[in-house]
Amino acid sequence: MKTRTLQFFNYLLTLVLSVLGIQSCKNDGNDDEILCMYGQPYADFSIDVCVMNEQGQGVPNEKVLLRPCDEKGNPYTYNYADTIYTDSTGKVNHKFETFPGIWAIRAVTLDESGYDNDSVQVKLENVKKGDGNWYHGEYYGKAELTLKRPLDDK
């Protein structure tokens, strides 16, 4: 009986508040009030990757794994790793949009061309400020990897 009475009064109170037009999210220019927004924070990220051999020539079609990580190099668990391939000159520009807070990207080559694998961690720089709402701006980094032939191939 007590539960039914409580449910009835909750229903009645909700009905009265909605008829009166009372909102839970309101901001009439007062910055002290919380403005409710729908969506999630995001930022744009861009990284240039250049994969060269010991002679300084670009390595074409090299498979590179890009993994977002924190400033200590620990990979984030909520972000995925992207796999990209270099063009005929050994370069590629990769752009993506995701949740902000990525400090760096670790670029790792995956043996596709007979070279030893290499990796580098690239710190991302903020190149465009956000709008103060959901958009947190644009971040850029540049990775250069030099691949060496295995010792048994020399």
Side-chain angles (χ1 to χ4, degrees):
M1 181 67 183
K2 209 175 196 184
T3 306
R4 281 190 181 262
T5 306
L6 184 60
Q7 287 176 342
F8 173 75
F9 280 111
N10 282 340
Y11 173 76
L12 188 62
L13 181 63
T14 303
L15 182 66
V16 169
L17 291 176
S18 63
V19 168
L20 293 175
I22 301 203
Q23 301 172 4
S24 62
C25 298
K26 186 176 180 182
N27 186 345
D28 296 326
N30 183 356
D31 291 334
D32 295 334
E33 292 184 34
I34 295 174
L35 176 63
C36 294
M37 297 168 50
Y38 298 100
Q40 78 175 30
Y42 70 98
D44 294 317
F45 296 89
S46 176
I47 184 167
D48 285 325
V49 178
C50 181
V51 180
M52 298 175 292
N53 61 20
E54 294 173 297
Q55 291 77 33
Q57 301 166 332
V59 179
N61 301 320
E62 183 65 23
K63 189 176 186 179
V64 180
L65 180 73
L66 299 177
R67 178 172 290 286
C69 54
D70 64 16
E71 65 273 8
K72 295 179 183 173
N74 301 318
Y76 287 121
T77 56
Y78 64 85
N79 283 96
Y80 57 91
D82 280 338
T83 303
I84 59 173
Y85 291 87
T86 59
D87 63 11
S88 60
T89 63
K91 297 179 180 178
V92 66
N93 175 272
H94 183 64
K95 296 180 180 187
F96 61 101
E97 177 184 292
T98 190
F99 196 80
I102 296 175
W103 290 89
I105 291 181
R106 178 163 293 282
V108 180
T109 59
L110 304 172
D111 186 25
E112 294 282 322
S113 58
Y115 291 96
D116 282 339
N117 291 333
D118 192 15
S119 70
V120 65
Q121 182 172 312
V122 179
K123 185 174 188 263
L124 298 174
E125 300 294 328
N126 184 265
V127 294
K128 181 180 175 186
K129 297 291 181 195
D131 63 5
N133 294 312
W134 286 124
Y135 182 62
H136 284 240
E138 186 176 333
Y139 295 82
Y140 173 79
K142 185 174 183 177
E144 293 183 0
L145 297 114
T146 303
L147 303 183
K148 299 177 182 175
R149 288 272 181 207
L151 291 177
D152 55 347
D153 285 356
K154 291 186 178 178

